[in-house]
Amino acid sequence: MSILKLHYEIDGEDFTRAGEASASVKKRLRQLGVKPDATRKVSIALYEGEINMVIHAHGGDIDVEISPEAVRMVLADRGPGIENIDQAMKEGWSTAPDEVRSLGFGAGMGLPNMKKNSDEMQIETVLGKGTTVTMAVYL
Amino acid sequence: MNTFFHSVRLDREKCKGCINCIKRCPTEAIRVRDGKAMIIPERCIDCGECIRVCTHHAKKATYDHLDVLRQYEYTIALPAPALYAQFNHLEDVEIVLNALLEIGFDAVFEVAKAAEIVSDATRRYMAQPGIPKPIISSACPAVTRLIRVRFPNLIDQILPLNAPVEVAARIAREEAVQKTGLPPEKIGTVFISPCPAKVTAAKMPLGSSHSEVSAVVAISDVYPRLLKAMHTDGEVSPLAAPQAGKIGVSWASSSGEASALLNDNYLAADGIENVIRVLEDLEDEKFEHLDFIELNACNAGCIGGVLTVENPYIARTKLKRLRKYLPVSLNHASCPEQKHLKWDAPLEYAPVMKLDEDFAAAMEKMSEMERIEASLPGLDCGSCGAPTCRALAEDVVRGSASPDACIYKFRESISSLIDNLQKLNNCIPSTLRGSSSVEETHSKKGGELK
Ligand SMILES: Nc1ncnc2c1ncn2[C@@H]1O[C@H](COP(=O)(O)OP(=O)(O)OP(=O)(O)O)[C@@H](O)[C@H]1O
Ligand code: SF4
Ligand SMILES: [Mg+2]
């Protein structure tokens, strides 16, 4: 059984384009006939991750693998890394700068939302090197 | 079996096979094949965008004509509130209502009146605990159809109440039966509509198992007749008095329905592209603290419908002026029977975008589609008859087009064909080659020796 692989490069400078990867994945899941609820979860989790890459890490790469069992997403950036993952995972914790907050981001809800909407989630991070978030949503 | 009725259709004679409509269709429902446009019925939502953009007038809305009045013993006009915004210096709705009687209707029931009833019912519905918010308006049938094919996660949030025109038809017919003693089928309820989507909704309703709207005529068709019948001098004694106030009449333009809920936590979007953006974001839970979403496929709301005559923004100004002297509502706290209001056939997801019923097969097709798309030039030029290169790739895996429909692909195929012919020619064994070519080699060699 084949696995469908998708790759996206996320531009860290362009706010207006953030969300293109999740929109593209969502469109494909719809065409594959994936259950609406799973499609929604992937779309929400991926969008939050995509935005985080733009806001906190100057962009990066997203790889998505779709199989009959799950949608697996790997979001890798070469940003500053996360100092304290437990703290970052808390609802309401955010280091977003003011100009980002004025755009309506920075409520500190992104990572908790990703956790809530995925069936598996891991964060690997090295300060000064980057962060890789891996998520899976079961189909 | 004809499972799809659509008001929006193609006039083959007039179609030149250009690509204006395929590019603008919000659901990618149109292709050009063999020089003519064709609409994919399961994808069309009757929004009317193609009618707006077709410069050859080859896309048209089908609707009933006023001679339907002859089919019934008693006819009731159901004017959309957008009708009132079409006239210059209209001071009083009464003038339009009486003109409707003059052109042949036996009675008038304002859709604006039913709109006030629906507003009231919506407020009560939203006050119930535990309903999924934000609630999405179900008044624009193009939007409801769009949600049904593309936004399955939002179906539960659609307001499960009939649109004002349906409520108007139901109450009007019941009242007419009582008043005239005629059997219900002898009574014609005729909607005067701003758009084809409402025509489709009356023939193939969503949310209710049947429609009580007998016929749908176009505002643009009735307009010239009405103009002649409108008397502003007050000579005729008014037979029909206004039945609705500001709230009902405001439904004609964007945010009218939402503001009638007397709740600030709403969003109102108009124009089909904007509507799609809002629905995408809503599905991804990007909005918080909203109670109600009003969506209209047309710019500015129903006053922007393709069957209206006035520019929507001028119409909006006219509507504002007309509203000014109206009472807030004439139907507050009227409690019609629930059977007139409530949906009785809940909406179901129609996954028309799905590539295949079988997941494994859909995966195969998707992989193939990615491969084909990568081989196409990415110009989205439309010459192949599909709106984008990706859409062509999709058509190919669905079996309805060939990659050679792409003129660039075709050119590549031709040039590789020429290359291959050349190679083939060179491959011919020397024993089979003509004597002239053999001689040529000889003379060349001879030349080298010199
Ligand atoms: N890819 C990343 N690289 C570096 N830091 C990150 C990354 N993702 C998250 N963080 C850190 O974790 C914090 C919490 O992230 P989270 O997504 O939960 O909230 P937020 O992005 O600040 O706000 P919101 O997502 O609600 O707009 C961020 O403020 C940031 O400090
Ligand atoms: S906005 Fe109004 S006029 Fe336009 S399609 Fe929807 S119901 Fe019809
Ligand atoms: Mg975030």
Side-chain angles (χ1 to χ4, degrees), chain B residues 46-47 52 139-142 194-195 197-198 296-298 301-302 304-305:
Chain B
D46 290 281
C47 65
R52 281 191 188 93
C140 174
C195 68
K198 292 278 190 191
N296 288 286
C298 298
C302 295

Side-chain angles (χ1 to χ4, degrees), chain B residues 162-183:
Chain B
N162 286 324
V165 55
E166 188 58 42
V167 175
R170 290 174 186 217
I171 300 176
R173 189 187 301 275
E174 199 171 81
E175 285 178 2
V177 168
Q178 273 165 18
K179 188 176 153 195
T180 64
L182 288 167

Side-chain angles (χ1 to χ4, degrees), chain A residues 9-30:
Chain A
E9 276 157 36
I10 306 303
D11 184 342
E13 307 303 314
D14 197 348
F15 244 112
T16 56
R17 285 187 50 196
E20 279 184 4
S22 47
S24 156
V25 173
K26 180 168 156 185
K27 189 174 174 188
R28 282 162 175 76
L29 294 180
R30 236 183 239 148

Side-chain angles (χ1 to χ4, degrees), chain A residues 85-96:
Chain A
I85 294 182
D86 289 338
Q87 196 173 40
M89 289 299 297
K90 289 217 175 77
E91 291 191 5
W93 169 263
S94 173
T95 61

Side-chain angles (χ1 to χ4, degrees), chain B residues 230-259:
Chain B
M230 280 167 55
H231 306 291
T232 46
D233 46 20
E235 257 174 36
V236 284
S237 58
L239 295 160
Q243 304 151 6
K246 277 193 181 66
I247 286 186
V249 171
S250 300
W251 273 61
S253 83
S254 178
S255 79
E257 178 189 2
S259 54

Side-chain angles (χ1 to χ4, degrees), chain B residues 273-348:
Chain B
E273 297 295 338
N274 298 327
V275 165
I276 291 174
R277 278 222 294 272
V278 168
L279 290 171
E280 290 284 0
D281 286 357
L282 201 58
E283 196 175 50
D284 292 349
E285 298 178 2
K286 287 183 202 165
F287 301 117
E288 286 167 77
H289 316 303
L290 276 178
D291 291 330
F292 191 78
I293 312 262
E294 178 194 317
L295 301 170
N296 288 286
C298 298
N299 285 328
C302 295
I303 43 175
V306 282
L307 300 180
T308 62
V309 291
E310 185 55 282
N311 168 308
Y313 299 95
I314 294 175
R316 185 151 71 189
T317 304
K318 290 180 178 174
L319 197 69
K320 256 189 219 147
R321 209 173 287 157
L322 180 68
R323 270 178 22 153
K324 208 156 146 194
Y325 302 105
L326 289 176
V328 177
S329 167
L330 294 181
N331 301 281
H332 185 58
S334 59
C335 271
E337 292 176 60
Q338 291 297 307
K339 68 172 189 214
H340 295 319
L341 279 167
K342 282 231 168 103
W343 273 8
D344 63 2
L347 215 57
E348 270 175 34

Side-chain angles (χ1 to χ4, degrees), chain B residues 133-441:
Chain B
K133 286 192 181 162
I135 293 297
I136 305 168
S137 161
S138 56
C140 174
V143 172
T144 311
R145 260 166 222 280
L146 177 69
I147 294 175
R148 192 177 71 125
V149 298
R150 253 179 82 172
F151 299 95
N153 289 305
L154 299 176
I155 288 179
D156 289 346
Q157 282 163 257
I158 301 178
L159 182 69
L161 299 180
N162 286 324
V165 55
E166 188 58 42
V167 175
R170 290 174 186 217
I171 300 176
R173 189 187 301 275
E174 199 171 81
E175 285 178 2
V177 168
Q178 273 165 18
K179 188 176 153 195
T180 64
L182 288 167
E185 65 277 11
K186 301 245 154 131
I187 292 161
T189 51
V190 182
F191 181 40
I192 301 167
S193 172
C195 68
K198 292 278 190 191
V199 180
T200 301
K203 312 279 176 203
M204 279 202 27
L206 286 182
S208 54
S209 47
H210 77 294
S211 172
E212 286 288 336
V213 179
S214 318
V216 183
V217 299
I219 285 183
S220 53
D221 244 22
V222 179
Y223 177 80
R225 300 268 298 270
L226 279 181
L227 271 187
K228 281 189 217 125
M230 280 167 55
H231 306 291
T232 46
D233 46 20
E235 257 174 36
V236 284
S237 58
L239 295 160
Q243 304 151 6
K246 277 193 181 66
I247 286 186
V249 171
S250 300
W251 273 61
S253 83
S254 178
S255 79
E257 178 189 2
S259 54
L261 298 175
L262 316 173
N263 174 340
D264 279 342
N265 293 330
Y266 73 81
L267 174 160
D270 53 318
I272 191 71
E273 297 295 338
N274 298 327
V275 165
I276 291 174
R277 278 222 294 272
V278 168
L279 290 171
E280 290 284 0
D281 286 357
L282 201 58
E283 196 175 50
D284 292 349
E285 298 178 2
K286 287 183 202 165
F287 301 117
E288 286 167 77
H289 316 303
L290 276 178
D291 291 330
F292 191 78
I293 312 262
E294 178 194 317
L295 301 170
N296 288 286
C298 298
N299 285 328
C302 295
I303 43 175
V306 282
L307 300 180
T308 62
V309 291
E310 185 55 282
N311 168 308
Y313 299 95
I314 294 175
R316 185 151 71 189
T317 304
K318 290 180 178 174
L319 197 69
K320 256 189 219 147
R321 209 173 287 157
L322 180 68
R323 270 178 22 153
K324 208 156 146 194
Y325 302 105
L326 289 176
V328 177
S329 167
L330 294 181
N331 301 281
H332 185 58
S334 59
C335 271
E337 292 176 60
Q338 291 297 307
K339 68 172 189 214
H340 295 319
L341 279 167
K342 282 231 168 103
W343 273 8
D344 63 2
L347 215 57
E348 270 175 34
Y349 177 36
V352 302
M353 305 293 171
K354 213 164 54 172
L355 289 172
D356 204 290
E357 282 307 313
D358 176 58
F359 188 76
M363 287 275 284
E364 291 296 326
K365 286 184 181 173
M366 173 85 48
S367 307
E368 176 69 0
M369 207 172 126
E370 302 289 341
R371 203 186 54 72
I372 297 169
E373 189 189 0
S375 78
L376 294 170
L379 296 172
D380 293 343
C381 71
S383 308
C384 60
T388 59
C389 298
R390 186 166 176 82
L392 176 64
E394 186 183 333
D395 290 350
V396 173
V397 299
R398 286 183 190 275
S400 61
S402 144
D404 275 350
C406 171
I407 52 168
Y408 299 90
K409 269 302 241 199
F410 184 62
R411 204 165 62 181
E412 264 174 37
S413 309
I414 293 283
S415 78
S416 85
L417 196 65
I418 293 171
D419 281 354
N420 285 336
L421 278 178
Q422 200 81 47
K423 280 191 203 127
L424 197 65
N425 191 38
N426 295 340
C427 285
I428 295 175
S430 51
T431 49
L432 292 179
R433 285 190 200 167
S435 51
S436 63
S437 70
V438 176
E439 264 165 34
E440 224 174 275
T441 355

Side-chain angles (χ1 to χ4, degrees), chain A residues 59-126:
Chain A
D61 290 281
I62 297 182
D63 284 286
V64 179
E65 283 188 10
I66 306 168
S67 74
E69 289 78 41
V71 178
R72 298 188 181 276
M73 300 159 263
V74 180
L75 296 81
D77 66 56
R78 286 166 300 281
I82 302 173
E83 223 177 280
N84 182 338
I85 294 182
D86 289 338
Q87 196 173 40
M89 289 299 297
K90 289 217 175 77
E91 291 191 5
W93 169 263
S94 173
T95 61
D98 285 347
E99 66 267 25
V100 170
R101 284 172 201 264
S102 69
L103 290 168
F105 299 102
M109 290 304 292
L111 289 171
N113 254 337
M114 287 155 76
K115 179 92 191 148
K116 202 172 83 196
N117 285 288
S118 56
D119 298 302
E120 281 174 32
M121 177 168 156
Q122 284 121 36
I123 304 176
E124 285 160 49
T125 187
V126 180

